[in-house]
Amino acid sequence: MANTLDVANNLEQALRESDEFKSLKEAYEEVMGEPTAKQMFEDFRDTQLSLQEKQMQGIEITEEEVEKARQIVETVQQHEGISKLMEEEQRLNNLINEISQIITKPLEELYGTAEQN
Amino acid sequence: MANTLDVANNLEQALRESDEFKSLKEAYEEVMGEPTAKQMFEDFRDTQLSLQEKQMQGIEITEEEVEKARQIVETVQQHEGISKLMEEEQRLNNLINEISQIITKPLEELYGTAEQN
Ligand SMILES: [Ca+2]
Ligand SMILES: [Ca+2]
């Protein structure tokens, strides 16, 4: 029986060597290497995080803020390097969600089955 | 280079065979096999979920609800089987958090390093 944390380390290694991660890294370094793109991307990220935080704290988001966020998204989507990066982030996200669904199967089975009794 | 999803499946198998999961399963089945305990545990869980949902939606939680939740927690903690189950849930949770920290290391390194530039 393999040790759980050893296998987790194998998975970390596989993820690091995956096409998904390598492409994300490349796209990220491309954006970070270009000062204007880097600034745009960081503004975009800051705006997203700040809106998420407000949402989680139940603070109402103003129409002005929604409009500002919409404009920033529109701007970054027009930047080829950044939209490539956002695509790669989505791709890696999907992979991580898939992994997460796989490894939580035992728990789902346990709690799901019992629910049917 | 190992395929990421194959390794994720190995990790799922290792988790399923881990002491942490086996003990949780045992504690869970113990509680589910005893109708009174099962009902208490499910009331506890429902209360928790309902409070979490309200929190996430930014709905204020009344003093009455806090008090009711406090009483339910107190009651379930006095039940040996349920408090054992809650301990085992915490133990598995810790393991899953540890796994999650391991497999997100490549991402943290990527985004963390770039931040220092
Ligand atoms: Ca049930
Ligand atoms: Ca930075």
Side-chain angles (χ1 to χ4, degrees):
Chain A
M1 189 183 80
N3 177 281
T4 314
L5 295 183
D6 288 345
V7 186
N9 279 305
N10 293 345
L11 181 55
E12 188 256 349
Q13 194 57 39
L15 250 176
R16 195 184 287 276
E17 288 168 5
S18 68
D19 289 342
E20 287 86 346
F21 182 71
K22 283 183 190 162
S23 303
L24 170 61
K25 189 166 188 282
E26 208 175 298
Y28 188 77
E29 284 167 355
E30 187 89 17
V31 168
M32 289 300 122
E34 197 201 302
T36 316
K38 181 173 188 279
Q39 190 60 56
M40 268 170 72
F41 183 67
E42 284 173 357
D43 287 349
F44 165 66
R45 175 133 298 169
D46 290 346
T47 306
Q48 276 192 316
L49 287 177
S50 136
L51 290 184
Q52 274 172 20
E53 231 167 77
K54 282 189 182 171
Q55 235 169 354
M56 274 166 48
Q57 293 170 353
I59 299 169
E60 214 184 325
I61 293 160
T62 65
E63 245 176 79
E64 227 180 359
E65 285 172 314
V66 173
E67 177 57 23
K68 193 191 153 210
R70 202 192 55 73
Q71 279 174 15
I72 293 176
V73 171
E74 212 174 89
T75 311
V76 297
Q77 276 174 345
Q78 281 162 10
H79 188 285
E80 204 184 332
I82 297 178
S83 61
K84 169 79 176 148
L85 173 54
M86 283 162 71
E87 252 171 56
E88 296 300 343
E89 284 184 334
Q90 190 54 57
R91 221 174 129 213
L92 193 84
N93 244 351
N94 293 344
L95 179 60
I96 286 182
N97 286 339
E98 220 176 326
I99 290 172
S100 169
Q101 275 171 24
I102 290 172
I103 69 179
T104 55
K105 256 191 278 174
L107 273 175
E108 259 181 34
E109 276 174 31
L110 179 60
Y111 283 75
T113 310
E115 277 309 296
Q116 289 155 11
N117 294 337
Chain B
M1 189 182 80
N3 177 281
T4 315
L5 294 183
D6 289 345
V7 186
N9 278 304
N10 294 344
L11 181 54
E12 189 257 349
Q13 193 56 40
L15 250 177
R16 196 184 287 277
E17 289 168 3
S18 68
D19 290 342
E20 285 87 347
F21 183 70
K22 284 183 188 160
S23 303
L24 170 62
K25 190 166 189 282
E26 208 175 298
Y28 188 79
E29 285 167 355
E30 187 90 18
V31 167
M32 290 299 122
E34 199 201 300
T36 316
K38 182 173 186 281
Q39 190 60 56
M40 267 169 74
F41 183 68
E42 284 173 356
D43 288 350
F44 165 66
R45 176 133 296 169
D46 290 347
T47 306
Q48 276 192 317
L49 287 178
S50 136
L51 290 184
Q52 274 172 22
E53 232 166 77
K54 282 189 182 172
Q55 236 169 353
M56 273 164 49
Q57 291 171 355
I59 299 170
E60 213 184 327
I61 292 160
T62 66
E63 246 176 77
E64 228 179 357
E65 287 173 312
V66 172
E67 177 55 23
K68 193 191 153 210
R70 202 193 55 71
Q71 279 174 17
I72 293 175
V73 171
E74 212 174 88
T75 311
V76 297
Q77 278 174 343
Q78 281 162 10
H79 188 286
E80 205 183 332
I82 297 178
S83 62
K84 170 79 176 147
L85 172 54
M86 284 162 71
E87 252 171 55
E88 296 299 344
E89 285 184 333
Q90 189 55 55
R91 221 175 130 214
L92 193 82
N93 243 353
N94 293 345
L95 178 59
I96 286 183
N97 286 339
E98 221 175 325
I99 290 171
S100 168
Q101 275 171 25
I102 290 172
I103 69 178
T104 55
K105 254 191 278 172
L107 272 175
E108 258 181 35
E109 275 174 32
L110 179 60
Y111 283 76
T113 310
E115 277 309 295
Q116 287 156 12
N117 293 338

